[in-house]
Amino acid sequence: MKYAILLVAALMLSACGGPRLATMQHRAPAAAAVTGVVTAPNFGDRKPHPWDGRAPSAYAVHGTDTSRYQPPVDWATARANGINFTFIKATEGADDADPMFQAHWNAARAAGVATGAYHFWYHCAPGRAQALNFIRRVPKAAGALPPVLDLEWTPFSPTCTRRPPQAELLSEAQVFIDTVARHYGQMPLVYVSPDIFASHELWRLRGVEFWVRSVANHPSKVYPGTRWTFWQYSGTGQIPGKAGDGDLNVFAGSPAEWRDWLARRTHR
């Protein structure tokens, strides 16, 4: 009888607890709440630029971007020293993935850093295939920043150095943007460098916000007439918690505008 009672109890526990345990095993680590509270920048730049006009230091909300080339980051220390947001490389082309993505993604979110993922464009693959690669690997996570499409020329790529015609690039990039937007319920941001933005008139992309690279001048001079949301101003940042050089970025608005933007643009 004792063994029968124990067997019944075990079956009852299995019925009640088994599925719940299985769910917990596959659940991503919970993220700390992204409240929009801004921490002030407390980091340096190994090769600071002598800015003419409004310098990055005039902006309140700073952040970084991260890929496989950075070792594990102490995101809690980075957050305490002014890293309020980060965009992490997730994918490239139609089948490549950044092996450090998941580790950076989980740790940054756990530290309360506003976190998003980006896809590095490959000029030799169609936009839909690249979008599906991104969708397979980046979760729909509450509080996540909008996805990002990183559009650059790749003259040193070992497999694809082509520069497609403007009409082709705009069309394929728009396919990526629209496919990703339907999946995540958020229009992506588009990261651009000055050369590709000008030569292929990337301002013609529909419905996106821009994250612009400009390391020697204010974006208003490099991208005249273009409204931008994020500005990457350095690749030689010295960020506590992040070894070596790191990219530095600012958000275009005030802390209050940052909170409003997060309320509108983070995933629910």
Side-chain angles (χ1 to χ4, degrees), residues 69 92 120 122 124 154-162:
Y69 301 108
E92 180 173 343
F120 191 84
Y122 185 69
C124 296
T154 55
F156 305 110
S157 169
T159 57
C160 180
T161 60
R162 71 183 292 258

Side-chain angles (χ1 to χ4, degrees), residues 19-108:
R20 187 177 304 161
L21 289 172
T23 301
M24 289 175 65
Q25 289 170 354
H26 293 88
R27 185 178 299 156
V34 177
T35 62
V37 173
V38 173
T39 54
N42 181 36
F43 45 75
D45 193 335
R46 186 171 57 80
K47 299 174 84 171
H49 182 75
W51 298 100
D52 178 20
R54 191 176 185 190
S57 58
Y59 295 87
V61 186
H62 293 246
T64 190
D65 50 273
T66 310
S67 72
R68 70 203 304 168
Y69 301 108
Q70 279 80 44
V73 177
D74 181 346
W75 286 105
T77 296
R79 174 76 169 102
N81 285 275
I83 297 302
N84 297 283
F85 62 86
T86 188
F87 293 100
I88 299 169
K89 183 178 180 182
T91 50
E92 180 173 343
D95 52 18
D96 189 38
D98 191 307
M100 287 293 293
F101 169 68
Q102 200 66 54
H104 283 314
W105 172 270
N106 289 343

Side-chain angles (χ1 to χ4, degrees), residues 55 63 66 76 97 104 113 119 148 173-174 179 198-199 201 204 207 235 251 259:
T66 310
H104 283 314
V113 178
H119 173 84
V148 175
Q174 195 70 55
T179 303
S199 69
E201 300 181 350
R204 297 182 182 275
F251 172 73
R259 288 188 289 273

Side-chain angles (χ1 to χ4, degrees), residues 23 142 168 180:
T23 301
E168 177 188 333
V180 167

Side-chain angles (χ1 to χ4, degrees), residues 131 134-135 140 147 174-189 206-208 265 267:
F134 184 85
I135 288 168
K140 286 183 179 180
Q174 195 70 55
V175 168
F176 177 98
I177 289 163
D178 294 343
T179 303
V180 167
R182 283 192 296 271
H183 180 77
Y184 293 98
Q186 282 280 6
M187 287 297 288
L189 302 166
R206 300 186 304 273
V208 299
R265 296 290 272 132
H267 185 73

